[in-house]
Amino acid sequence: MSLFLVDSHCHLDFPDFDGERADLITRAKDNGVQRFVTISTFVSKIERLLAITREFDEVYASVGTHPHNAGEEPDVTVAQLVELSTRDKIVAIGEAGLDYHYDKAPRDVQAKVFRTHIAAARETQLPLVIHAREADEDMIAILEEESGKGAFPFILHCFSSGRALAEAGVALGGYVSFSGILTFKNSADIRAIAADVPMERLLVETDAPYLAPPPHRGKRNEPAFTRLTAEVLAEVKGVDLDTIARRTSDNFFRLFKRIEDPRTAG
Ligand SMILES: [Zn+2]
Ligand SMILES: [Zn+2]
């Protein structure tokens, strides 16, 4: 089969892509990017995401409150998330987590909302998409404490944290997803961490419209560029692009259980 990559994390609902979504999907497929998960940042805006998933067969969605928006949705409940997770094409919970770089919501509110999402992931056993930035210690503490109450599948998305968080995540059964950050010149530390993440726990993503890899750095990112990150990840792991595509897609379909793996059909 030809190249099969998955953009496990993008934001196709953002206005950056208005009027261009069909072209975007076509360009992505031309680059071997065949499936997409458009990630929720506001539970209250879930209908917009669902509309996009209905428009494009290859696009799936998550449901959750981004830590930046935790102050606006502080009272989201486990029941609400679990109920919304039953909607057609919802395949994950999140993104939720801790962002101490921007501190857009009070840290205690971020933590409370994050724990709500963990409980929903535990109950549904859908993968939790975790956003962690400059919050390594608290993130490790919460993941270890909450895992002790009962396991839940999770992804450390757009990994840009320290080695200790990657190791703790892997030890707890989590996956680590790399974005365009992996390809940046000054990201040698992130590449060194990626080199040590077990092959069976790796994912790739764009986080588009943010974080375009070179030669597009500073411009709008789009799902087609997943391939550029996968190429660098292949180099880091000392394998070819086909192998990275196959392994990260294997991981993706193992984790995102609700999505059928078309590679195995026939
Ligand atoms: Zn994020
Ligand atoms: Zn995101």
Side-chain angles (χ1 to χ4, degrees):
M1 194 177 188
S2 55
L3 193 63
F4 192 110
L5 287 160
V6 177
D7 186 354
S8 65
H9 189 122
C10 50
H11 295 284
L12 297 181
D13 60 320
F14 284 19
D16 310 65
F17 300 125
D18 281 352
E20 273 188 74
R21 291 188 183 89
D23 293 342
L24 214 68
I25 302 285
T26 304
R27 278 201 296 277
K29 288 178 139 186
D30 289 346
N31 281 278
V33 186
Q34 318 271 10
R35 291 292 181 276
F36 313 85
V37 186
T38 188
I39 300 292
S40 170
T41 57
F42 279 100
V43 169
S44 57
K45 295 183 182 172
I46 195 65
E47 294 303 332
R48 257 183 80 76
L49 266 69
L50 290 170
I52 294 170
T53 67
R54 284 192 294 270
E55 199 176 340
F56 302 101
D57 286 348
E58 308 86 348
V59 178
Y60 296 81
S62 68
V63 60
T65 304
H66 192 288
H68 287 350
N69 308 326
E72 286 172 70
E73 297 187 339
D75 299 320
V76 59
T77 65
V78 178
Q80 209 178 351
L81 290 167
V82 170
E83 165 67 22
L84 286 169
S85 77
T86 63
R87 298 284 300 272
D88 198 28
K89 295 190 92 175
I90 296 282
V91 296
I93 305 291
E95 62 182 290
L98 305 173
D99 192 314
Y100 294 174
H101 179 74
Y102 289 105
D103 274 325
K104 287 199 182 176
R107 292 181 179 184
D108 59 328
V109 177
Q110 292 189 40
K112 173 189 169 233
V113 171
F114 179 41
R115 287 182 194 265
T116 300
H117 285 73
I118 290 175
R122 187 186 294 119
E123 187 170 332
T124 59
Q125 289 296 309
L126 292 176
L128 174 64
V129 181
I130 296 178
H131 174 106
R133 187 150 180 208
E134 293 175 25
D136 298 32
E137 263 180 54
D138 287 357
M139 181 55 71
I140 292 169
I142 290 177
L143 287 177
E144 289 183 342
E145 186 195 324
E146 291 286 341
S147 292
K149 299 180 196 167
F152 53 93
F154 67 89
I155 304 149
L156 296 169
H157 111 84
C158 193
F159 193 82
S160 62
S161 300
R163 177 173 287 273
L165 177 52
E167 289 176 354
V170 168
L172 294 169
Y175 289 68
V176 186
S177 180
F178 291 94
S179 68
I181 291 177
L182 183 81
T183 70
F184 296 169
K185 209 176 193 169
N186 57 358
S187 293
D189 50 342
I190 300 296
R191 284 187 288 276
I193 292 167
D196 293 337
V197 172
M199 201 66 156
E200 65 274 14
R201 301 292 184 80
L202 287 169
L203 295 170
V204 284
E205 65 173 273
T206 57
D207 209 7
Y210 308 119
L211 298 165
H216 311 283
R217 193 168 179 185
K219 298 188 203 131
R220 187 190 70 178
N221 199 359
E222 63 174 75
F225 303 160
T226 305
R227 183 179 180 145
L228 298 167
T229 294
E231 283 170 357
V232 171
L233 188 59
E235 263 172 56
V236 164
K237 300 304 269 187
V239 297
D240 60 18
L241 178 62
D242 279 326
T243 303
I244 274 296
R246 182 169 47 79
R247 298 296 301 268
T248 55
S249 295
D250 288 349
N251 297 343
F252 175 82
F253 288 112
R254 188 186 318 118
L255 183 60
F256 288 77
K257 289 192 228 31
R258 281 200 184 150
I259 307 179
E260 189 194 346
D261 184 351
R263 302 170 308 163
T264 56

